Amino acid sequence: MTSPNATSRERILANALSLFAARGADAVSVRDIAAAAGVSPALILHHFGSRERLRQEVDESVIATFDYLLDAEATTASVTTASVVELMTAGLPPGSPLPAYVRQLVLTNSPAGSKLFKRWYELTVNVTAQMDAAGQTNPTDDPAMRAAFLLANDLALLLLQRHIEDATGVDPLSTAGLQRWATIALGAYTDGVFVPPHPE
Amino acid sequence: MTSPNATSRERILANALSLFAARGADAVSVRDIAAAAGVSPALILHHFGSRERLRQEVDESVIATFDYLLDAEATTASVTTASVVELMTAGLPPGSPLPAYVRQLVLTNSPAGSKLFKRWYELTVNVTAQMDAAGQTNPTDDPAMRAAFLLANDLALLLLQRHIEDATGVDPLSTAGLQRWATIALGAYTDGVFVPPHPE
DNA sequence: TGCAAGACTGAACACTTGTTCAGTACGGTG
DNA sequence: CACCGTACTGAACAAGTGTTCAGTCTTGCA
């Protein structure tokens, strides 16, 4: 899980991230993390002061990772889909605990979750505004709500991953699943899903 | 919160539901519920045997409520939007803790959450299949994934309510907010959001 | 070599948790 | 009336929690 020559501090952080992601931060004790990292519980308090500060530091590291991913995306690739989920699956190693951790962040009332959502929302507003200006979207008189709609739908895939996998039999975050999902989403957002009530 | 002539057992159930919905079931102690219901902690164990069985009973009552709502919807109204969120906001009293509880259910790995999602998924599959047969939808070769997409987008509104309210300034589950949201959703699903890459 | 600073631990602390249990109050039935 | 079952409580228990602390081991610098 962690490279064996990592410092104890780094091992604590990495294992805390994994455990928080898997079970939710409130369900993980200092002793759990200590056992996973192979250190004594007291060492965690020595390095981080309190359980809460460890949690905050994990939050900050996650936010920093996303800042890095967004920067990398902004410089290298062109603006393609502006999908947070695709950004994550493309930029993170396959077994990364980060998607699960983000799920926990967004669903609890943590300030880090609010920060991430707010950042993604502004990104969505900007991208859709650019597309508006380029004439690539159908006009709307409620761009704020439309951005929220698109972002929420994007995150829904992440939040409901398990349930969607249960229902359809395919992990929607796998390569194959994501492709099917993206096909549906793209089709829905361009051609629509329902036919207009007054055809002609 | 609860009618004063309700039995202690009913008061315990109602207060447990509210507290579970607000904080998440794992963050609520037996003593918390006892204090809210105005009884001793031991009485909760007397009526329900264990904390876990109380939790299960709350889950069952929530599922029963949704069964009732779905039945009522099926008999009275015609199939309009098949939106779970609209079903909830229309069929529940304004201050109901149920939406928040469902959020908790769906986010944790609880069997009750899986049960609800599976039920809603089948409902979505059926409704879209009917619309397919009636020629009210654009054709797709992946109806299973399309149903998952529509359902996930619907639930996203519920799961991300707080964040959407923070970002847009409007509670998307309020009457006004829901109307704006529905307008966006309907427009997106009929006319599309993005213009096709090859216009003509 | 000596010493200071940091990494690190085991044991203990005060507290909260779910649960048990003996016992009280009460309401209906024989 | 006596009796029994049920609702209900206060006190206690064992286990788990975050945190503290005195003390050991190691490392690098004077």
Side-chain angles (χ1 to χ4, degrees), chain B residues 24-44:
Chain B
D26 291 336
V28 178
S29 72
V30 173
R31 284 168 178 81
D32 290 337
I33 303 169
V39 300
S40 76
L43 185 62
I44 296 183

Side-chain angles (χ1 to χ4, degrees), chain B residues 9-56:
Chain B
R9 197 177 196 281
E10 293 166 341
R11 284 209 318 278
I12 291 170
L13 267 176
N15 283 283
L17 172 61
S18 291
L19 289 173
F20 287 169
R23 297 188 223 161
D26 291 336
V28 178
S29 72
V30 173
R31 284 168 178 81
D32 290 337
I33 303 169
V39 300
S40 76
L43 185 62
I44 296 183
L45 282 302
H46 170 71
H47 277 308
F48 298 93
S50 75
R51 195 199 108 106
E52 188 53 31
R53 283 219 284 276
L54 166 60
R55 185 203 167 117
Q56 289 173 12

Side-chain angles (χ1 to χ4, degrees), chain A residues 22 26-27 103-110 113-114 117-118 121 128 131 135-138 140 142-146 148-157 159-160 162-164 166-168 170 172 177 180-181 184-186 188-197, chain B residues 22 26-27 103 105-110 113-114 117-118 121 128 131 135-138 140 142-146 148-157 159-160 162-164 166-168 170 172 177 180-181 183-186 188-197:
Chain A
D26 291 336
R103 184 163 38 225
Q104 303 283 351
L105 276 187
V106 170
L107 290 173
T108 60
N109 306 357
S110 83
S114 300
F117 189 92
K118 209 155 272 181
Y121 177 71
T128 49
M131 297 183 71
Q136 296 168 342
T137 60
N138 290 324
T140 180
D142 198 347
M145 205 48 109
R146 188 189 55 182
F149 176 77
L150 290 173
L151 175 58
N153 292 1
D154 186 23
L155 289 177
L157 171 56
L159 301 180
L160 296 170
R162 278 179 248 239
H163 292 296
I164 296 171
D166 277 357
T168 64
V170 187
R180 281 175 65 184
W181 185 272
I184 292 290
L186 192 64
Y189 290 151
T190 54
D191 304 327
V193 175
F194 310 121
V195 301
Chain B
D26 291 336
R103 185 162 37 226
L105 276 187
V106 171
L107 97 89
T108 60
N109 307 358
S110 82
S114 300
F117 189 92
K118 208 155 274 182
Y121 177 72
T128 49
M131 297 183 71
Q136 296 168 342
T137 60
N138 290 324
T140 180
D142 198 349
M145 204 49 108
R146 188 190 56 183
F149 174 78
L150 290 172
L151 175 58
N153 292 1
D154 185 24
L155 290 178
L157 171 56
L159 301 179
L160 296 170
R162 279 180 248 237
H163 293 295
I164 296 172
D166 278 356
T168 64
V170 187
R180 281 176 64 183
W181 185 273
T183 303
I184 293 290
L186 192 64
Y189 290 150
T190 53
D191 304 326
V193 175
F194 310 121
V195 301

